Amino acid sequence: MEKDGKDLFVVILLGFFLMLFMVSFIVIIVVIHRKRQVQNQQKILNLKAEYEKTILNVELEIQEETLGYVGRELHDNIGQLLSLTKLNLSSSKPEKIQEGRHLIGMVIKEVRALSKTLNLDWVEGISLGEYFQKELNKLDQIGFCKTQFKVEGQEIKLIKEKKLVLIRVFQECLNNAVKHSEAQLILVSMVNTSDCLELTFKDDGNGFDLSVPSSGLGLLNLSKRMETIGGKMVIQTKRGTGTEIKLTLPLSIA
C-alpha cells in the first residue's frame, strides 16, 4: 500500500509538472505570437508612413517644377501678350483695337491653362502614355536629341498617387539623360500586360559607373520610391554604352 501511494504521488507530481510545462509552453507561444503581431503592425505602420512621405515629397517636387513653369510662362508668354495687347489698344485704328481684343482672348485662354497646371488633379485626367509622349516631344522640339516612344497593350488605370510617383521617376530619368548622357537618341517603351506595367527608358549616351554616387534625387532614392508603390527599378549601364532603366509595377497592386 505504501508503495502504491508513492507511485500515485509520483504520477500526480509528474502530471503536475507536465501540465505546468504545457501551460508554460502555451503562454510562450501566445507571447511570441503577440510579439510578432505587434512587429507586423509596426512594420505596416512604417510602410504606410514611408508611402505617405514619398507621395508628399513627389507632390511637392512636381508643384515646385509647376510653379517654375508658371513663372516662366507668365514672364515670357503672357507678359509678351499683354504688352502687345497694350500697344494695340492704345492705337486709334479699328484693326489694331480688334487685334487687341483677340490678344485679350488669348491671354485669358493661357491663364486658364496655367491655372489648371497648379492643381495636381490634372494627373487623373491624363494617361501616362500621353504625358510621356508630351515630355519627349519637348526634347524633339528644342532639338536636344531624337526620341521614340512605343506603347504595347491597353494602358493600366492607376490611382493618382502611384501615377505621380511614376511621373516623377520618369522626369528624373529624363532630366539625368539631358544633363549627363549627351545622348543622340532616347527610346521609351511602355508595355502593359495582364500582370504588370513595364516602362523602359534607354539612351545611347555616355553611360556611367553605378558604383559612383549620383547627384540630385539619386538612383537609390528613385529605386526606393518604386519600392514604396510596390514596384522595382533595374538599371543597366557602363561608361560608353548608354543607359537602360526598367521600371516594373505589378498589376495586382497597381
Side-chain angles (χ1 to χ4, degrees):
M1 289 292 294
E2 185 178 350
K3 184 179 180 181
D4 291 341
K6 288 181 178 179
D7 291 341
L8 180 61
F9 175 76
V10 171
V11 170
I12 293 174
L13 188 62
L14 289 173
F16 173 77
F17 281 114
L18 180 60
M19 183 179 67
L20 185 63
F21 173 77
M22 291 298 295
V23 170
S24 300
F25 178 77
I26 292 173
V27 170
I28 291 172
I29 292 298
V30 171
V31 170
I32 292 175
H33 179 67
R34 179 58 181 167
K35 185 177 180 180
R36 287 180 178 176
Q37 278 187 323
V38 172
Q39 290 175 341
N40 288 336
Q41 289 175 354
Q42 187 60 46
K43 185 177 180 181
I44 291 173
L45 289 174
N46 291 339
L47 288 173
K48 184 178 179 181
E50 184 180 355
Y51 173 79
E52 292 175 348
K53 181 180 178 181
T54 296
I55 299 302
L56 177 61
N57 287 338
V58 166
E59 289 182 341
L60 290 174
E61 289 163 4
I62 292 179
Q63 285 175 343
E64 287 178 1
E65 287 197 354
T66 300
L67 287 173
Y69 168 76
V70 169
R72 291 190 297 272
E73 284 294 300
L74 286 173
H75 181 271
D76 300 334
N77 185 21
I78 295 179
Q80 183 180 14
L81 287 174
L82 287 174
S83 296
L84 291 173
T85 301
K86 182 180 178 180
L87 288 174
N88 281 279
L89 292 179
S90 298
S91 174
S92 59
K93 296 180 179 180
E95 62 271 18
K96 291 292 184 180
I97 295 176
Q98 183 61 33
E99 178 65 20
R101 290 174 179 172
H102 174 69
L103 289 171
I104 289 176
M106 291 179 61
V107 169
I108 293 173
K109 183 179 179 180
E110 291 293 330
V111 170
R112 285 176 176 172
L114 284 176
S115 67
K116 291 181 180 179
T117 64
L118 291 174
N119 191 334
L120 290 182
D121 288 342
W122 61 265
V123 174
E124 297 178 341
I126 190 172
S127 70
L128 288 175
E130 290 173 338
Y131 178 82
F132 297 153
Q133 184 67 74
K134 179 181 176 182
E135 292 300 298
L136 292 173
N137 286 343
K138 290 179 182 178
L139 294 184
D140 281 324
Q141 290 169 2
I142 64 176
F144 174 79
C145 69
K146 294 181 179 180
T147 67
Q148 291 182 12
F149 182 58
K150 182 174 67 173
V151 180
E152 295 182 16
Q154 190 70 27
E155 185 170 329
I156 300 168
K157 186 176 181 179
L158 302 176
I159 62 174
K160 172 185 170 183
E161 289 75 16
K162 293 185 178 182
K163 192 185 288 187
L164 276 171
V165 172
L166 281 175
I167 285 174
R168 188 55 180 155
V169 172
F170 176 86
Q171 284 179 333
E172 282 305 307
C173 290
L174 201 60
N175 289 339
N176 286 336
V178 170
K179 292 177 182 178
H180 309 296
S181 73
E182 299 182 0
Q184 299 299 312
L185 177 64
I186 293 177
L187 303 172
V188 178
S189 66
M190 185 169 66
V191 179
N192 304 289
T193 68
S194 59
D195 299 321
C196 70
L197 180 155
E198 190 176 272
L199 182 68
T200 303
F201 187 100
K202 188 175 182 180
D203 67 62
D204 62 352
N206 299 326
F208 58 93
D209 186 349
L210 279 171
S211 64
V212 177
S214 61
S215 59
L217 282 177
L219 295 175
L220 179 60
N221 194 5
L222 295 182
S223 180
K224 286 183 177 179
R225 288 187 170 186
M226 286 301 299
E227 291 175 2
T228 300
I229 61 172
K232 65 178 181 179
M233 182 173 77
V234 177
I235 302 174
Q236 292 183 334
T237 184
K238 61 181 181 179
R239 292 192 181 280
T241 62
T243 301
E244 179 177 297
I245 301 175
K246 183 172 291 186
L247 309 176
T248 305
L249 183 66
L251 175 60
S252 58
I253 56 175

